[in-house]
Amino acid sequence: MSIHELATNASKYGSLSNPQGHVAVEWDDSDQQLTLTWRETGGPPVKEPQKDGFGLTLIRGEVVSRLRGNVETIFAPEGLQVQISFPLDGI
């Protein structure tokens, strides 16, 4: 659900809303933890929202509550960056 929400928002409002935009997704599964990094570039300028919308609320709820993980967001002007990490044990 988290990846779907990021992709949906990127296509509606972010880097994938124009032909020059890109999304880079990287992951690492070392030290019994999965870390996924989502980076958008080439889209419209990004501004940090005053409050979390549905998407970030959903992502944080799923990752923090269900997976005992962490979500970090950076609203850089050149594109949104999100890092999701959670332990692999017990999933």
Side-chain angles (χ1 to χ4, degrees), residues 36-53:
L36 181 133
T37 304
W38 175 279
R39 287 188 184 92
E40 297 184 30
T41 57
V46 174
K47 294 188 299 186
E48 185 167 357
Q50 292 186 349
K51 64 177 188 166
D52 286 350

Side-chain angles (χ1 to χ4, degrees), residues 21-42:
H22 297 279
V23 172
V25 180
E26 300 172 357
W27 64 88
D28 179 46
D29 65 349
S30 58
D31 299 325
Q32 295 297 313
Q33 178 164 299
L34 179 70
T35 301
L36 181 133
T37 304
W38 175 279
R39 287 188 184 92
E40 297 184 30
T41 57

